[in-house]
Amino acid sequence: MAAPLSATDLRVRREILETFIAGHIPTRLGVMRALGLEYAEVSASYAALAATHVIVPHPDTGEVWMAMPFSAVPTPFNVMVGGRAVWANCVWDAFGIAAALDTDVSFVSPCPASDTPIAAGVRRGVAYASPGAVVHVGVPAPRWWDDIGFT
Amino acid sequence: MAALARRWYRDRLSADWAPKSREVSQAIFTAVGLSGPFWTLPGG
């Protein structure tokens, strides 16, 4: 079991999410400067947050790849929220951005099977999607974290 | 999916946010009608 998150870990987590919400991609350097922390402290918090599945660092760079519901890299889920565009990791997370921010969102994502654009979102607090749209969850919950990038 | 996302993420920016326990996460799936081995989290 992962160790409990420290107060610093929680501050780092919050800064990561706020950076995404502002429409930017978080970096360890940016978090360090924003919070007045040492680089090693931020790196340690990244490790703690990754161990608890709060963030997923990119395997090559160590920077945030995912901080659910946000993605640092382009995905098929480009979500419009408050006049800004952010990337969600999946349709679950696209709707999750609306829930986390308690606001409306919209996104258009291609059907993986037919490439037909599917419009969906939350309007005045009510979720909607193109008629006939279905969500396919391809990986069972016990195996989600075997390869979270694929999931 | 929107109902699941709402329950899963609505506390994400709360000041008192903490990681969900396995039990709480599993209860969210159950509450929106997702059950069975496919939706059983590790350790269940």
Side-chain angles (χ1 to χ4, degrees), chain A residues 5 10 13-14 17 21 54 68-69 91-93 95-96 99-101 127 135 137 139-142 144, chain B residues 1-15 17-19 26 29 37-42:
Chain A
L5 297 175
L10 294 173
R13 169 192 172 273
R14 183 82 188 194
L17 292 176
I21 292 166
V54 175
M68 282 63 87
V91 65
W92 178 351
D93 287 356
F95 282 114
L101 275 61
V135 173
V137 179
V139 179
W144 283 346
Chain B
M1 185 52 71
L4 171 61
R6 192 162 46 248
R7 288 172 182 265
W8 193 264
Y9 280 117
R10 64 186 171 191
D11 68 340
R12 191 60 45 136
L13 294 173
S14 299
W17 176 90
Q26 196 69 63
F29 294 155
F38 190 94
W39 290 98
T40 300
L41 293 164

mmCIF file of all heavy atoms in Angstrom, chain A residues 5 10 13-14 17 21 54 68-69 91-93 95-96 99-101 127 135 137 139-142 144, chain B residues 1-15 17-19 26 29 37-42:
data_model
loop_
_atom_site.group_PDB
_atom_site.id
_atom_site.type_symbol
_atom_site.label_atom_id
_atom_site.label_comp_id
_atom_site.label_asym_id
_atom_site.label_seq_id
_atom_site.Cartn_x
_atom_site.Cartn_y
_atom_site.Cartn_z
ATOM 1 N N LEU A 5 -0.480 10.619 1.556
ATOM 2 C CA LEU A 5 0.049 11.829 0.925
ATOM 3 C C LEU A 5 0.308 12.895 1.982
ATOM 4 O O LEU A 5 -0.490 13.086 2.897
ATOM 5 C CB LEU A 5 -0.949 12.342 -0.111
ATOM 6 C CG LEU A 5 -1.221 11.396 -1.285
ATOM 7 C CD1 LEU A 5 -2.317 11.967 -2.187
ATOM 8 C CD2 LEU A 5 0.046 11.138 -2.094
ATOM 9 N N LEU A 10 -0.181 17.185 -1.471
ATOM 10 C CA LEU A 10 -1.514 17.701 -1.799
ATOM 11 C C LEU A 10 -1.431 19.085 -2.437
ATOM 12 O O LEU A 10 -2.213 19.410 -3.335
ATOM 13 C CB LEU A 10 -2.390 17.739 -0.542
ATOM 14 C CG LEU A 10 -2.725 16.356 0.035
ATOM 15 C CD1 LEU A 10 -3.457 16.501 1.369
ATOM 16 C CD2 LEU A 10 -3.569 15.539 -0.940
ATOM 17 N N ARG A 13 -0.291 18.435 -5.980
ATOM 18 C CA ARG A 13 -1.440 17.926 -6.742
ATOM 19 C C ARG A 13 -2.367 19.069 -7.158
ATOM 20 O O ARG A 13 -2.781 19.164 -8.307
ATOM 21 C CB ARG A 13 -2.206 16.918 -5.880
ATOM 22 C CG ARG A 13 -3.558 16.533 -6.450
ATOM 23 C CD ARG A 13 -4.392 15.771 -5.417
ATOM 24 N NE ARG A 13 -5.733 15.575 -5.919
ATOM 25 C CZ ARG A 13 -6.711 16.449 -5.768
ATOM 26 N NH1 ARG A 13 -6.499 17.586 -5.131
ATOM 27 N NH2 ARG A 13 -7.905 16.209 -6.266
ATOM 28 N N ARG A 14 -2.667 19.927 -6.205
ATOM 29 C CA ARG A 14 -3.580 21.039 -6.487
ATOM 30 C C ARG A 14 -3.002 21.967 -7.566
ATOM 31 O O ARG A 14 -3.719 22.413 -8.462
ATOM 32 C CB ARG A 14 -3.817 21.824 -5.191
ATOM 33 C CG ARG A 14 -4.812 22.953 -5.335
ATOM 34 C CD ARG A 14 -6.222 22.425 -5.241
ATOM 35 N NE ARG A 14 -7.195 23.451 -5.552
ATOM 36 C CZ ARG A 14 -8.492 23.336 -5.282
ATOM 37 N NH1 ARG A 14 -8.965 22.247 -4.711
ATOM 38 N NH2 ARG A 14 -9.326 24.286 -5.595
ATOM 39 N N LEU A 17 -3.392 20.390 -10.992
ATOM 40 C CA LEU A 17 -4.762 20.492 -11.509
ATOM 41 C C LEU A 17 -5.101 21.928 -11.905
ATOM 42 O O LEU A 17 -5.716 22.170 -12.953
ATOM 43 C CB LEU A 17 -5.763 19.987 -10.461
ATOM 44 C CG LEU A 17 -5.713 18.482 -10.174
ATOM 45 C CD1 LEU A 17 -6.694 18.127 -9.048
ATOM 46 C CD2 LEU A 17 -6.034 17.671 -11.421
ATOM 47 N N ILE A 21 -6.392 23.409 -15.468
ATOM 48 C CA ILE A 21 -7.640 24.165 -15.552
ATOM 49 C C ILE A 21 -7.400 25.509 -16.239
ATOM 50 O O ILE A 21 -8.248 25.996 -16.992
ATOM 51 C CB ILE A 21 -8.245 24.365 -14.143
ATOM 52 C CG1 ILE A 21 -8.718 23.009 -13.592
ATOM 53 C CG2 ILE A 21 -9.393 25.372 -14.172
ATOM 54 C CD1 ILE A 21 -9.014 23.019 -12.103
ATOM 55 N N VAL A 54 -2.641 9.120 -8.443
ATOM 56 C CA VAL A 54 -3.228 10.460 -8.590
ATOM 57 C C VAL A 54 -2.741 11.106 -9.884
ATOM 58 O O VAL A 54 -3.477 11.820 -10.554
ATOM 59 C CB VAL A 54 -2.878 11.340 -7.373
ATOM 60 C CG1 VAL A 54 -3.362 12.759 -7.568
ATOM 61 C CG2 VAL A 54 -3.477 10.736 -6.113
ATOM 62 N N MET A 68 -5.615 12.734 -13.679
ATOM 63 C CA MET A 68 -7.004 12.501 -14.006
ATOM 64 C C MET A 68 -7.915 13.568 -13.388
ATOM 65 O O MET A 68 -7.750 13.868 -12.206
ATOM 66 C CB MET A 68 -7.430 11.100 -13.540
ATOM 67 C CG MET A 68 -6.968 9.981 -14.469
ATOM 68 S SD MET A 68 -5.174 9.793 -14.614
ATOM 69 C CE MET A 68 -4.880 8.704 -13.224
ATOM 70 N N PRO A 69 -8.793 14.160 -14.184
ATOM 71 C CA PRO A 69 -9.230 13.756 -15.526
ATOM 72 C C PRO A 69 -8.439 14.383 -16.683
ATOM 73 O O PRO A 69 -8.816 14.204 -17.825
ATOM 74 C CB PRO A 69 -10.680 14.273 -15.559
ATOM 75 C CG PRO A 69 -10.643 15.521 -14.719
ATOM 76 C CD PRO A 69 -9.650 15.235 -13.623
ATOM 77 N N VAL A 91 -13.482 9.263 -22.374
ATOM 78 C CA VAL A 91 -14.817 9.871 -22.270
ATOM 79 C C VAL A 91 -15.234 10.005 -20.808
ATOM 80 O O VAL A 91 -15.899 10.978 -20.429
ATOM 81 C CB VAL A 91 -15.850 9.073 -23.096
ATOM 82 C CG1 VAL A 91 -16.058 7.675 -22.539
ATOM 83 C CG2 VAL A 91 -17.167 9.831 -23.169
ATOM 84 N N TRP A 92 -14.861 9.041 -20.002
ATOM 85 C CA TRP A 92 -15.136 9.116 -18.551
ATOM 86 C C TRP A 92 -14.534 10.408 -17.996
ATOM 87 O O TRP A 92 -15.190 11.167 -17.271
ATOM 88 C CB TRP A 92 -14.543 7.885 -17.898
ATOM 89 C CG TRP A 92 -14.656 7.743 -16.418
ATOM 90 C CD1 TRP A 92 -15.088 8.667 -15.504
ATOM 91 C CD2 TRP A 92 -14.325 6.571 -15.659
ATOM 92 N NE1 TRP A 92 -15.040 8.150 -14.236
ATOM 93 C CE2 TRP A 92 -14.580 6.874 -14.303
ATOM 94 C CE3 TRP A 92 -13.836 5.316 -15.989
ATOM 95 C CZ2 TRP A 92 -14.351 5.950 -13.286
ATOM 96 C CZ3 TRP A 92 -13.604 4.399 -14.968
ATOM 97 C CH2 TRP A 92 -13.869 4.716 -13.643
ATOM 98 N N ASP A 93 -13.303 10.679 -18.342
ATOM 99 C CA ASP A 93 -12.634 11.875 -17.843
ATOM 100 C C ASP A 93 -13.170 13.149 -18.488
ATOM 101 O O ASP A 93 -13.162 14.212 -17.864
ATOM 102 C CB ASP A 93 -11.128 11.761 -18.079
ATOM 103 C CG ASP A 93 -10.474 10.767 -17.129
ATOM 104 O OD1 ASP A 93 -11.181 10.238 -16.254
ATOM 105 O OD2 ASP A 93 -9.269 10.525 -17.260
ATOM 106 N N PHE A 95 -16.304 13.762 -19.246
ATOM 107 C CA PHE A 95 -17.434 14.115 -18.386
ATOM 108 C C PHE A 95 -16.943 14.467 -16.985
ATOM 109 O O PHE A 95 -17.560 15.268 -16.276
ATOM 110 C CB PHE A 95 -18.434 12.956 -18.327
ATOM 111 C CG PHE A 95 -19.323 12.842 -19.542
ATOM 112 C CD1 PHE A 95 -19.238 11.752 -20.392
ATOM 113 C CD2 PHE A 95 -20.256 13.826 -19.824
ATOM 114 C CE1 PHE A 95 -20.051 11.642 -21.511
ATOM 115 C CE2 PHE A 95 -21.078 13.732 -20.945
ATOM 116 C CZ PHE A 95 -20.981 12.634 -21.784
ATOM 117 N N GLY A 96 -15.829 13.876 -16.583
ATOM 118 C CA GLY A 96 -15.282 14.150 -15.262
ATOM 119 C C GLY A 96 -14.816 15.586 -15.103
ATOM 120 O O GLY A 96 -14.863 16.133 -14.002
ATOM 121 N N ALA A 99 -17.692 17.459 -14.009
ATOM 122 C CA ALA A 99 -18.019 17.175 -12.607
ATOM 123 C C ALA A 99 -17.039 17.860 -11.660
ATOM 124 O O ALA A 99 -17.440 18.452 -10.655
ATOM 125 C CB ALA A 99 -17.988 15.663 -12.385
ATOM 126 N N ALA A 100 -15.758 17.791 -11.990
ATOM 127 C CA ALA A 100 -14.741 18.363 -11.107
ATOM 128 C C ALA A 100 -14.879 19.875 -11.008
ATOM 129 O O ALA A 100 -14.709 20.451 -9.938
ATOM 130 C CB ALA A 100 -13.346 17.994 -11.620
ATOM 131 N N LEU A 101 -15.195 20.500 -12.145
ATOM 132 C CA LEU A 101 -15.291 21.963 -12.171
ATOM 133 C C LEU A 101 -16.711 22.454 -11.956
ATOM 134 O O LEU A 101 -16.944 23.660 -11.880
ATOM 135 C CB LEU A 101 -14.745 22.500 -13.496
ATOM 136 C CG LEU A 101 -13.234 22.721 -13.572
ATOM 137 C CD1 LEU A 101 -12.465 21.428 -13.367
ATOM 138 C CD2 LEU A 101 -12.844 23.366 -14.891
ATOM 139 N N ALA A 127 -26.113 15.981 -18.945
ATOM 140 C CA ALA A 127 -25.240 15.319 -19.917
ATOM 141 C C ALA A 127 -26.010 14.997 -21.190
ATOM 142 O O ALA A 127 -27.207 14.692 -21.159
ATOM 143 C CB ALA A 127 -24.683 14.030 -19.311
ATOM 144 N N VAL A 135 -20.714 3.922 -25.012
ATOM 145 C CA VAL A 135 -19.359 3.916 -24.464
ATOM 146 C C VAL A 135 -18.889 2.469 -24.370
ATOM 147 O O VAL A 135 -19.602 1.618 -23.833
ATOM 148 C CB VAL A 135 -19.320 4.580 -23.072
ATOM 149 C CG1 VAL A 135 -17.937 4.424 -22.439
ATOM 150 C CG2 VAL A 135 -19.707 6.042 -23.174
ATOM 151 N N VAL A 137 -16.016 0.177 -22.811
ATOM 152 C CA VAL A 137 -14.887 0.055 -21.885
ATOM 153 C C VAL A 137 -14.196 -1.268 -22.196
ATOM 154 O O VAL A 137 -14.769 -2.342 -21.991
ATOM 155 C CB VAL A 137 -15.373 0.096 -20.413
ATOM 156 C CG1 VAL A 137 -14.189 -0.045 -19.456
ATOM 157 C CG2 VAL A 137 -16.121 1.399 -20.147
ATOM 158 N N VAL A 139 -11.168 -2.574 -21.161
ATOM 159 C CA VAL A 139 -10.277 -3.243 -20.210
ATOM 160 C C VAL A 139 -11.021 -3.406 -18.882
ATOM 161 O O VAL A 139 -11.559 -2.437 -18.357
ATOM 162 C CB VAL A 139 -8.987 -2.420 -19.992
ATOM 163 C CG1 VAL A 139 -8.075 -3.104 -18.989
ATOM 164 C CG2 VAL A 139 -8.260 -2.206 -21.319
ATOM 165 N N PRO A 140 -11.034 -4.611 -18.328
ATOM 166 C CA PRO A 140 -11.719 -4.804 -17.044
ATOM 167 C C PRO A 140 -11.004 -4.088 -15.908
ATOM 168 O O PRO A 140 -9.776 -3.929 -15.925
ATOM 169 C CB PRO A 140 -11.705 -6.333 -16.853
ATOM 170 C CG PRO A 140 -10.647 -6.839 -17.751
ATOM 171 C CD PRO A 140 -10.494 -5.863 -18.876
ATOM 172 N N ALA A 141 -11.769 -3.658 -14.922
ATOM 173 C CA ALA A 141 -11.225 -2.870 -13.806
ATOM 174 C C ALA A 141 -10.015 -3.510 -13.132
ATOM 175 O O ALA A 141 -9.071 -2.798 -12.785
ATOM 176 C CB ALA A 141 -12.329 -2.600 -12.783
ATOM 177 N N PRO A 142 -9.983 -4.826 -12.957
ATOM 178 C CA PRO A 142 -8.798 -5.402 -12.293
ATOM 179 C C PRO A 142 -7.511 -5.177 -13.073
ATOM 180 O O PRO A 142 -6.421 -5.318 -12.507
ATOM 181 C CB PRO A 142 -9.126 -6.905 -12.221
ATOM 182 C CG PRO A 142 -10.591 -7.004 -12.416
ATOM 183 C CD PRO A 142 -10.999 -5.835 -13.240
ATOM 184 N N TRP A 144 -6.929 -2.303 -15.153
ATOM 185 C CA TRP A 144 -6.762 -0.919 -15.623
ATOM 186 C C TRP A 144 -5.335 -0.417 -15.464
ATOM 187 O O TRP A 144 -4.793 0.261 -16.321
ATOM 188 C CB TRP A 144 -7.707 0.013 -14.853
ATOM 189 C CG TRP A 144 -9.137 -0.072 -15.311
ATOM 190 C CD1 TRP A 144 -9.608 -0.655 -16.449
ATOM 191 C CD2 TRP A 144 -10.278 0.439 -14.611
ATOM 192 N NE1 TRP A 144 -10.981 -0.542 -16.501
ATOM 193 C CE2 TRP A 144 -11.412 0.122 -15.405
ATOM 194 C CE3 TRP A 144 -10.455 1.124 -13.416
ATOM 195 C CZ2 TRP A 144 -12.709 0.480 -15.024
ATOM 196 C CZ3 TRP A 144 -11.744 1.485 -13.040
ATOM 197 C CH2 TRP A 144 -12.852 1.160 -13.840
ATOM 198 N N MET B 1 -22.272 6.924 -18.370
ATOM 199 C CA MET B 1 -20.885 7.330 -18.147
ATOM 200 C C MET B 1 -20.809 8.676 -17.424
ATOM 201 O O MET B 1 -19.963 8.886 -16.570
ATOM 202 C CB MET B 1 -20.154 7.398 -19.482
ATOM 203 C CG MET B 1 -18.679 7.687 -19.377
ATOM 204 S SD MET B 1 -17.751 6.609 -18.251
ATOM 205 C CE MET B 1 -17.736 5.055 -19.143
ATOM 206 N N ALA B 2 -21.746 9.579 -17.787
ATOM 207 C CA ALA B 2 -21.750 10.884 -17.126
ATOM 208 C C ALA B 2 -22.077 10.747 -15.644
ATOM 209 O O ALA B 2 -21.509 11.457 -14.807
ATOM 210 C CB ALA B 2 -22.743 11.816 -17.820
ATOM 211 N N ALA B 3 -22.972 9.810 -15.330
ATOM 212 C CA ALA B 3 -23.335 9.605 -13.917
ATOM 213 C C ALA B 3 -22.140 9.064 -13.137
ATOM 214 O O ALA B 3 -21.886 9.472 -11.995
ATOM 215 C CB ALA B 3 -24.513 8.639 -13.824
ATOM 216 N N LEU B 4 -21.412 8.154 -13.743
ATOM 217 C CA LEU B 4 -20.204 7.623 -13.108
ATOM 218 C C LEU B 4 -19.176 8.735 -12.913
ATOM 219 O O LEU B 4 -18.592 8.881 -11.832
ATOM 220 C CB LEU B 4 -19.617 6.499 -13.975
ATOM 221 C CG LEU B 4 -18.235 5.980 -13.576
ATOM 222 C CD1 LEU B 4 -18.252 5.403 -12.167
ATOM 223 C CD2 LEU B 4 -17.758 4.937 -14.589
ATOM 224 N N ALA B 5 -18.969 9.518 -13.961
ATOM 225 C CA ALA B 5 -17.979 10.603 -13.890
ATOM 226 C C ALA B 5 -18.348 11.617 -12.814
ATOM 227 O O ALA B 5 -17.478 12.128 -12.101
ATOM 228 C CB ALA B 5 -17.868 11.285 -15.252
ATOM 229 N N ARG B 6 -19.638 11.892 -12.697
ATOM 230 C CA ARG B 6 -20.072 12.877 -11.697
ATOM 231 C C ARG B 6 -19.720 12.399 -10.287
ATOM 232 O O ARG B 6 -19.174 13.137 -9.480
ATOM 233 C CB ARG B 6 -21.573 13.113 -11.848
ATOM 234 C CG ARG B 6 -22.102 14.311 -11.085
ATOM 235 C CD ARG B 6 -23.465 14.765 -11.606
ATOM 236 N NE ARG B 6 -24.407 13.683 -11.806
ATOM 237 C CZ ARG B 6 -24.847 13.275 -13.000
ATOM 238 N NH1 ARG B 6 -24.427 13.869 -14.088
ATOM 239 N NH2 ARG B 6 -25.724 12.290 -13.092
ATOM 240 N N ARG B 7 -20.025 11.140 -10.017
ATOM 241 C CA ARG B 7 -19.733 10.618 -8.677
ATOM 242 C C ARG B 7 -18.224 10.471 -8.450
ATOM 243 O O ARG B 7 -17.729 10.673 -7.350
ATOM 244 C CB ARG B 7 -20.411 9.257 -8.489
ATOM 245 C CG ARG B 7 -21.920 9.346 -8.348
ATOM 246 C CD ARG B 7 -22.553 7.958 -8.351
ATOM 247 N NE ARG B 7 -24.000 7.991 -8.272
ATOM 248 C CZ ARG B 7 -24.690 7.889 -7.145
ATOM 249 N NH1 ARG B 7 -24.056 7.754 -6.002
ATOM 250 N NH2 ARG B 7 -26.012 7.916 -7.158
ATOM 251 N N TRP B 8 -17.521 10.104 -9.515
ATOM 252 C CA TRP B 8 -16.076 9.831 -9.386
ATOM 253 C C TRP B 8 -15.281 11.114 -9.183
ATOM 254 O O TRP B 8 -14.304 11.149 -8.441
ATOM 255 C CB TRP B 8 -15.608 9.104 -10.643
ATOM 256 C CG TRP B 8 -14.257 8.497 -10.528
ATOM 257 C CD1 TRP B 8 -13.073 9.043 -10.927
ATOM 258 C CD2 TRP B 8 -13.945 7.210 -9.980
ATOM 259 N NE1 TRP B 8 -12.049 8.174 -10.664
ATOM 260 C CE2 TRP B 8 -12.543 7.032 -10.090
ATOM 261 C CE3 TRP B 8 -14.725 6.181 -9.423
ATOM 262 C CZ2 TRP B 8 -11.906 5.887 -9.652
ATOM 263 C CZ3 TRP B 8 -14.078 5.037 -8.986
ATOM 264 C CH2 TRP B 8 -12.691 4.904 -9.103
ATOM 265 N N TYR B 9 -15.679 12.166 -9.871
ATOM 266 C CA TYR B 9 -14.836 13.366 -9.940
ATOM 267 C C TYR B 9 -15.377 14.586 -9.208
ATOM 268 O O TYR B 9 -14.702 15.603 -9.148
ATOM 269 C CB TYR B 9 -14.616 13.742 -11.409
ATOM 270 C CG TYR B 9 -13.545 12.914 -12.077
ATOM 271 C CD1 TYR B 9 -13.849 12.078 -13.152
ATOM 272 C CD2 TYR B 9 -12.228 12.957 -11.649
ATOM 273 C CE1 TYR B 9 -12.874 11.321 -13.780
ATOM 274 C CE2 TYR B 9 -11.240 12.209 -12.263
ATOM 275 C CZ TYR B 9 -11.562 11.395 -13.331
ATOM 276 O OH TYR B 9 -10.588 10.642 -13.931
ATOM 277 N N ARG B 10 -16.569 14.515 -8.644
ATOM 278 C CA ARG B 10 -17.160 15.745 -8.117
ATOM 279 C C ARG B 10 -16.402 16.329 -6.937
ATOM 280 O O ARG B 10 -16.536 17.514 -6.632
ATOM 281 C CB ARG B 10 -18.624 15.512 -7.758
ATOM 282 C CG ARG B 10 -18.870 14.520 -6.646
ATOM 283 C CD ARG B 10 -20.368 14.271 -6.489
ATOM 284 N NE ARG B 10 -20.644 13.175 -5.578
ATOM 285 C CZ ARG B 10 -21.839 12.629 -5.435
ATOM 286 N NH1 ARG B 10 -22.871 13.086 -6.139
ATOM 287 N NH2 ARG B 10 -22.022 11.634 -4.602
ATOM 288 N N ASP B 11 -15.602 15.521 -6.254
ATOM 289 C CA ASP B 11 -14.835 16.042 -5.116
ATOM 290 C C ASP B 11 -13.390 16.369 -5.495
ATOM 291 O O ASP B 11 -12.570 16.679 -4.631
ATOM 292 C CB ASP B 11 -14.837 15.023 -3.974
ATOM 293 C CG ASP B 11 -14.035 13.766 -4.317
ATOM 294 O OD1 ASP B 11 -13.808 13.517 -5.525
ATOM 295 O OD2 ASP B 11 -13.631 13.053 -3.386
ATOM 296 N N ARG B 12 -13.056 16.302 -6.774
ATOM 297 C CA ARG B 12 -11.660 16.366 -7.208
ATOM 298 C C ARG B 12 -10.976 17.675 -6.803
ATOM 299 O O ARG B 12 -9.783 17.689 -6.527
ATOM 300 C CB ARG B 12 -11.603 16.173 -8.724
ATOM 301 C CG ARG B 12 -10.244 15.939 -9.349
ATOM 302 C CD ARG B 12 -9.510 14.726 -8.854
ATOM 303 N NE ARG B 12 -10.248 13.488 -8.736
ATOM 304 C CZ ARG B 12 -9.810 12.297 -9.134
ATOM 305 N NH1 ARG B 12 -8.664 12.214 -9.757
ATOM 306 N NH2 ARG B 12 -10.514 11.214 -8.900
ATOM 307 N N LEU B 13 -11.736 18.762 -6.743
ATOM 308 C CA LEU B 13 -11.133 20.050 -6.390
ATOM 309 C C LEU B 13 -11.550 20.511 -4.986
ATOM 310 O O LEU B 13 -11.307 21.660 -4.619
ATOM 311 C CB LEU B 13 -11.511 21.104 -7.435
ATOM 312 C CG LEU B 13 -10.927 20.836 -8.828
ATOM 313 C CD1 LEU B 13 -11.478 21.831 -9.843
ATOM 314 C CD2 LEU B 13 -9.404 20.912 -8.793
ATOM 315 N N SER B 14 -12.148 19.627 -4.223
ATOM 316 C CA SER B 14 -12.545 19.991 -2.867
ATOM 317 C C SER B 14 -11.307 20.214 -2.002
ATOM 318 O O SER B 14 -10.284 19.549 -2.167
ATOM 319 C CB SER B 14 -13.382 18.866 -2.251
ATOM 320 O OG SER B 14 -14.554 18.652 -2.999
ATOM 321 N N ALA B 15 -11.447 21.131 -1.052
ATOM 322 C CA ALA B 15 -10.322 21.437 -0.168
ATOM 323 C C ALA B 15 -9.939 20.224 0.681
ATOM 324 O O ALA B 15 -8.775 20.063 1.061
ATOM 325 C CB ALA B 15 -10.674 22.613 0.725
ATOM 326 N N TRP B 17 -10.157 17.069 -0.256
ATOM 327 C CA TRP B 17 -10.009 15.883 -1.096
ATOM 328 C C TRP B 17 -8.969 14.919 -0.532
ATOM 329 O O TRP B 17 -7.936 15.333 -0.001
ATOM 330 C CB TRP B 17 -9.590 16.289 -2.508
ATOM 331 C CG TRP B 17 -9.327 15.100 -3.390
ATOM 332 C CD1 TRP B 17 -10.217 14.456 -4.184
ATOM 333 C CD2 TRP B 17 -8.076 14.406 -3.536
ATOM 334 N NE1 TRP B 17 -9.606 13.402 -4.817
ATOM 335 C CE2 TRP B 17 -8.298 13.337 -4.438
ATOM 336 C CE3 TRP B 17 -6.804 14.564 -2.989
ATOM 337 C CZ2 TRP B 17 -7.287 12.447 -4.811
ATOM 338 C CZ3 TRP B 17 -5.800 13.666 -3.352
ATOM 339 C CH2 TRP B 17 -6.054 12.633 -4.256
ATOM 340 N N ALA B 18 -9.248 13.650 -0.655
ATOM 341 C CA ALA B 18 -8.278 12.602 -0.311
ATOM 342 C C ALA B 18 -8.503 11.457 -1.282
ATOM 343 O O ALA B 18 -9.612 11.309 -1.835
ATOM 344 C CB ALA B 18 -8.478 12.138 1.128
ATOM 345 N N PRO B 19 -7.472 10.644 -1.520
ATOM 346 C CA PRO B 19 -7.666 9.509 -2.433
ATOM 347 C C PRO B 19 -8.809 8.612 -1.957
ATOM 348 O O PRO B 19 -8.980 8.396 -0.757
ATOM 349 C CB PRO B 19 -6.324 8.774 -2.366
ATOM 350 C CG PRO B 19 -5.336 9.785 -1.892
ATOM 351 C CD PRO B 19 -6.102 10.700 -0.982
ATOM 352 N N GLN B 26 -15.389 1.190 -5.295
ATOM 353 C CA GLN B 26 -16.269 0.093 -5.704
ATOM 354 C C GLN B 26 -17.730 0.463 -5.485
ATOM 355 O O GLN B 26 -18.599 0.130 -6.309
ATOM 356 C CB GLN B 26 -15.908 -1.169 -4.914
ATOM 357 C CG GLN B 26 -16.471 -2.453 -5.519
ATOM 358 C CD GLN B 26 -15.802 -2.792 -6.845
ATOM 359 O OE1 GLN B 26 -14.622 -3.037 -6.904
ATOM 360 N NE2 GLN B 26 -16.576 -2.796 -7.918
ATOM 361 N N PHE B 29 -19.129 2.423 -8.368
ATOM 362 C CA PHE B 29 -19.529 1.578 -9.507
ATOM 363 C C PHE B 29 -20.891 0.944 -9.245
ATOM 364 O O PHE B 29 -21.779 0.957 -10.100
ATOM 365 C CB PHE B 29 -18.490 0.470 -9.743
ATOM 366 C CG PHE B 29 -17.148 0.965 -10.175
ATOM 367 C CD1 PHE B 29 -16.014 0.212 -9.938
ATOM 368 C CD2 PHE B 29 -16.997 2.181 -10.811
ATOM 369 C CE1 PHE B 29 -14.759 0.654 -10.328
ATOM 370 C CE2 PHE B 29 -15.743 2.641 -11.201
ATOM 371 C CZ PHE B 29 -14.635 1.874 -10.952
ATOM 372 N N PRO B 37 -17.512 -9.236 -12.218
ATOM 373 C CA PRO B 37 -16.039 -9.329 -12.251
ATOM 374 C C PRO B 37 -15.384 -8.234 -13.092
ATOM 375 O O PRO B 37 -14.291 -7.770 -12.758
ATOM 376 C CB PRO B 37 -15.802 -10.707 -12.870
ATOM 377 C CG PRO B 37 -17.041 -11.482 -12.594
ATOM 378 C CD PRO B 37 -18.160 -10.490 -12.603
ATOM 379 N N PHE B 38 -16.037 -7.810 -14.169
ATOM 380 C CA PHE B 38 -15.443 -6.779 -15.027
ATOM 381 C C PHE B 38 -15.197 -5.493 -14.256
ATOM 382 O O PHE B 38 -14.237 -4.764 -14.535
ATOM 383 C CB PHE B 38 -16.362 -6.507 -16.226
ATOM 384 C CG PHE B 38 -15.739 -5.649 -17.298
ATOM 385 C CD1 PHE B 38 -15.105 -6.221 -18.394
ATOM 386 C CD2 PHE B 38 -15.766 -4.257 -17.209
ATOM 387 C CE1 PHE B 38 -14.522 -5.437 -19.377
ATOM 388 C CE2 PHE B 38 -15.184 -3.457 -18.184
ATOM 389 C CZ PHE B 38 -14.565 -4.050 -19.274
ATOM 390 N N TRP B 39 -16.072 -5.193 -13.300
ATOM 391 C CA TRP B 39 -15.991 -3.926 -12.571
ATOM 392 C C TRP B 39 -15.472 -4.098 -11.144
ATOM 393 O O TRP B 39 -15.593 -3.184 -10.331
ATOM 394 C CB TRP B 39 -17.366 -3.243 -12.555
ATOM 395 C CG TRP B 39 -17.743 -2.736 -13.908
ATOM 396 C CD1 TRP B 39 -18.559 -3.346 -14.815
ATOM 397 C CD2 TRP B 39 -17.284 -1.534 -14.534
ATOM 398 N NE1 TRP B 39 -18.633 -2.603 -15.961
ATOM 399 C CE2 TRP B 39 -17.873 -1.479 -15.826
ATOM 400 C CE3 TRP B 39 -16.448 -0.491 -14.135
ATOM 401 C CZ2 TRP B 39 -17.637 -0.421 -16.711
ATOM 402 C CZ3 TRP B 39 -16.212 0.559 -15.019
ATOM 403 C CH2 TRP B 39 -16.800 0.578 -16.284
ATOM 404 N N THR B 40 -14.893 -5.234 -10.852
ATOM 405 C CA THR B 40 -14.361 -5.466 -9.508
ATOM 406 C C THR B 40 -12.902 -5.041 -9.452
ATOM 407 O O THR B 40 -12.047 -5.611 -10.149
ATOM 408 C CB THR B 40 -14.498 -6.949 -9.109
ATOM 409 O OG1 THR B 40 -15.888 -7.298 -9.133
ATOM 410 C CG2 THR B 40 -13.943 -7.181 -7.719
ATOM 411 N N LEU B 41 -12.634 -4.060 -8.617
ATOM 412 C CA LEU B 41 -11.275 -3.522 -8.495
ATOM 413 C C LEU B 41 -10.349 -4.527 -7.830
ATOM 414 O O LEU B 41 -10.818 -5.399 -7.077
ATOM 415 C CB LEU B 41 -11.314 -2.216 -7.690
ATOM 416 C CG LEU B 41 -12.034 -1.060 -8.401
ATOM 417 C CD1 LEU B 41 -12.376 0.051 -7.411
ATOM 418 C CD2 LEU B 41 -11.170 -0.517 -9.538
ATOM 419 N N PRO B 42 -9.058 -4.426 -8.078
ATOM 420 C CA PRO B 42 -8.116 -5.354 -7.457
ATOM 421 C C PRO B 42 -8.247 -5.334 -5.939
ATOM 422 O O PRO B 42 -8.489 -4.281 -5.343
ATOM 423 C CB PRO B 42 -6.753 -4.811 -7.887
ATOM 424 C CG PRO B 42 -7.021 -4.020 -9.116
ATOM 425 C CD PRO B 42 -8.412 -3.451 -8.951
#
